[in-house]
Amino acid sequence: MAGMSSSNTSYVARDLAHVWHPCTQMKDHEQQLPMIPIRRGEGVWLEDFEGVRYLDAVSSWWVNLFGHANPRINAAVREQLDRLEQVILAGFTHEPVIRLSESLTAIAPQGLTRCFYADNGSSAVEVAVKMSFHYWRNVGRGAKTRFIALSNSYHGETLGALAVGNVELYKAIYKPLLMDVITVPSPDCFEREPGESWAEHSRRKFTHMEAALQKHAHETAAVILEPLVQCAGSMRMYDPVYLELLREACDRHEVHLIADEVAVGFGRTGTLFACEQAGIRPDFMCLSKGLTSGYLPLSAVLTTEPVYAAFYDEYVKLNAFLHSHSFTGNPLACAAALASLDIFRTDNVLERNRALSAHLGLRARELESHPHVAEVRQRGMIVAVELVREKATRQPYPWQERRGLRIYRHALSRGVLLRPIGNVVYFMPPYVITPEQIDLVVEVAREGIELATCD
Ligand code: PMP
């Protein structure tokens, strides 16, 4: 395959001797999966040790916004590196974390005035879950200990985040270790009836949430969900009306709303935050991935004054939120985040993305006529193509056939990194992609789909 020549080979051998890779059956590297050692990145491109380039159409697990080795972010991190690389954030502070907190609270939905930091998306979810639970205890409502989550949701891999998620592949084996959550059917619009609009379907599905809230509000701390797109859940999407209804119902039932914008935040859905499309303000908003433009591990949980106030007390009352991570609010990561927000401000990014997403959608929808494509769906800069064995009945391909893997391999041979989730091919490119590069990515996906569905 392209790029797998001698100088890559030695890195591959050394890697496979010691590195245990994430989300991987390592035996696949014997035959199914090539291992690609990357020497450098530039813009949308990743380059291996033989100079073969791969267009990063999945933003390296949805983190990268403005390209690899972005000169402006590089400069900001370099400058910070000479000043302060890391300092304990308990009792001490630093300029990047102060400025970042000022910036985030200024651009987030109004009323999210407090920032708590961690260093990855799962940890942000843990923080939000613990904070919500702890809030209710602090205000004398200790019976509110449970969480409501959606089917097909994903919130990360640590035990609390895994518990509130619902992708069986990642969760099933660990069930004995996980807290019991209340799971409500997702408003996923792939399941809408023929002729039903996204809004109608999402509204109809909300009846399950309303029923769960009616039954469980007295024992429920929060509802957690991914606004608009269930990314790891095969990029299934729903209408903003669901979030509007949920905000109103959470207020009425006195239950918190946790918006996990780890994947959809920072422009992926077309607006800076997905919640904006419903005009709502969650009680907790989890951010990571694009927060640093995919440069360094950092996450933030934004919350409100009333939540903050419930923890603000005399030390001896032991009401404080005693949660910490060593690298909380790391200055280098904050500097990358500030540089990324600066690019949003100066480069009219959301406006530019509107043209890019229109082009991406237009080209991707050409795949809709394919006999094994059931749907092409889009929300902003996220586009997904759902493959099925039989179009009329929407019968899926059995997962054991690993059709997506064939597309992955084909795309690599054409210099594109696509990473289908099961039977769903998706595009979530860095915002520095050009229309011509979008054409290439979609063409390669089309070829891959042909290959993967020809038998
Ligand atoms: N929440 C969502 C919605 C995610 O998509 C992810 C990661 N894919 C996470 C949480 C977990 O983030 P991390 O991998 O940084 O722990």
Side-chain angles (χ1 to χ4, degrees):
M1 81 155 302
M4 288 286 96
S5 53
S6 58
S7 93
N8 283 335
T9 312
S10 72
Y11 284 98
V12 172
R14 284 168 59 195
D15 175 285
L16 293 178
H18 297 292
V19 184
W20 191 342
H21 288 263
C23 205
T24 301
Q25 170 47 264
M26 291 301 294
K27 191 169 197 298
D28 273 356
H29 284 298
E30 283 178 13
Q31 301 221 310
Q32 308 278 356
L33 271 184
M35 171 64 67
I36 320 275
I38 293 300
R39 174 170 65 183
R40 59 190 291 275
E42 187 183 4
V44 294
W45 296 102
L46 297 166
E47 185 184 300
D48 73 12
F49 283 81
E50 283 300 304
V52 175
R53 299 203 305 166
Y54 303 89
L55 198 160
D56 187 355
V58 298
S59 299
S60 283
W61 256 343
W62 323 337
V63 299
N64 190 289
L65 302 186
F66 300 118
H68 296 278
N70 180 290
R72 283 168 70 179
I73 305 175
N74 282 7
V77 173
R78 251 189 229 115
E79 200 186 319
Q80 183 57 41
L81 190 56
D82 285 335
R83 239 180 260 173
L84 177 68
E85 82 301 338
Q86 163 67 4
V87 63
I88 179 173
L89 199 66
F92 286 71
T93 193
H94 52 84
E95 196 187 350
V97 81
I98 296 169
R99 284 180 50 215
L100 182 59
S101 307
E102 289 168 348
S103 298
L104 289 175
T105 54
I107 59 178
Q110 207 176 5
L112 294 174
T113 51
R114 298 284 170 176
C115 304
F116 192 97
Y117 291 92
D119 43 28
N120 60 73
S122 305
S123 300
V125 168
E126 300 284 341
V127 166
V129 162
K130 284 177 69 180
M131 234 183 220
S132 173
F133 162 88
H134 197 159
Y135 167 91
W136 292 113
R137 248 183 122 79
N138 280 359
V139 300
R141 310 264 314 259
K144 287 163 85 68
T145 59
R146 300 188 71 190
F147 292 85
I148 297 179
L150 295 180
S151 63
N152 192 47
S153 58
Y154 180 89
H155 297 290
E157 299 292 345
T158 52
L159 293 178
L162 200 58
V164 293
N166 197 244
V167 176
E168 279 300 298
L169 178 63
Y170 305 126
K171 181 172 179 176
I173 188 77
Y174 303 107
K175 280 227 168 97
L177 305 181
L178 304 178
M179 69 174 160
D180 185 30
V181 303
I182 300 151
T183 306
V184 166
S186 163
D188 168 12
C189 285
F190 185 65
E191 291 175 357
R192 69 195 185 281
E193 297 294 330
E196 196 179 28
S197 73
W198 281 38
E200 284 162 353
H201 176 80
S202 303
R203 212 176 255 285
R204 181 162 64 78
K205 284 289 179 173
F206 190 76
T207 54
H208 298 288
M209 180 60 83
E210 180 62 44
L213 282 166
Q214 261 177 31
K215 186 166 172 207
H216 296 290
H218 66 284
E219 55 172 351
T220 298
V223 175
I224 179 166
L225 85 179
E226 299 153 89
L228 303 186
V229 188
Q230 297 188 303
C231 293
S234 300
M235 302 291 165
R236 295 292 177 87
M237 301 177 183
Y238 59 90
D239 192 87
V241 74
Y242 192 87
L243 298 173
E244 279 175 49
L245 295 170
L246 181 60
R247 178 68 276 179
E248 186 278 324
C250 283
D251 286 343
R252 189 161 30 85
H253 289 287
E254 300 188 320
V255 166
H256 286 144
L257 171 50
I258 302 173
D260 177 354
E261 295 231 10
V262 166
V264 295
F266 298 102
R268 290 288 182 200
T269 67
T271 43
L272 192 59
F273 300 111
C275 282
E276 291 172 27
Q277 294 183 40
I280 64 151
R281 188 214 67 205
D283 300 291
F284 301 90
M285 186 162 83
C286 303
L287 303 173
S288 191
K289 292 192 188 276
L291 172 59
T292 62
S293 197
Y295 257 64
L296 286 156
L298 181 71
S299 60
V301 178
L302 272 60
T303 190
T304 62
E305 282 309 298
V307 169
Y308 182 76
F311 292 83
Y312 198 87
D313 212 335
E314 301 305 326
Y315 182 82
V316 289
K317 296 252 190 79
L318 293 180
N319 278 345
F321 190 58
L322 300 179
H323 180 108
S324 60
H325 296 287
S326 313
F327 288 103
T328 290
N330 171 263
L332 296 172
C334 290
L338 284 164
S340 177
L341 291 180
D342 203 48
I343 295 174
F344 271 106
R345 254 191 311 272
T346 57
D347 290 16
N348 227 357
V349 172
L350 297 175
E351 187 60 36
R352 261 195 82 243
N353 280 0
R354 267 193 276 285
L356 281 176
S357 68
H359 186 73
L360 178 59
L362 196 71
R363 295 310 316 270
R365 271 191 293 280
E366 290 168 12
L367 303 172
E368 221 157 28
S369 57
H370 190 278
H372 291 284
V373 170
E375 179 178 79
V376 177
R377 52 182 174 267
Q378 176 173 26
R379 178 70 67 182
M381 292 294 283
I382 307 174
V383 172
V385 182
E386 181 103 18
L387 304 182
V388 284
R389 178 187 287 285
E390 209 185 277
K391 201 158 179 155
T393 60
R394 292 193 154 183
Q395 185 200 355
Y397 285 109
W399 64 267
Q400 293 88 340
E401 293 179 6
R402 305 182 77 181
R403 304 260 168 176
L405 187 58
R406 300 188 207 173
I407 298 170
Y408 174 78
R409 291 170 58 99
H410 171 74
L412 286 180
S413 77
R414 293 274 277 119
V416 175
L417 168 52
L418 292 172
R419 203 169 187 277
I421 303 173
N423 293 325
V424 174
V425 185
Y426 70 89
F427 313 111
M428 207 197 282
Y431 306 158
V432 293
I433 196 168
T434 64
E436 295 70 32
Q437 289 165 340
I438 287 174
D439 293 345
L440 169 70
V441 165
V442 176
E443 174 56 19
V444 166
R446 193 192 58 73
E447 295 164 6
I449 291 169
E450 287 294 340
L451 268 172
T453 60
C454 64
D455 57 342

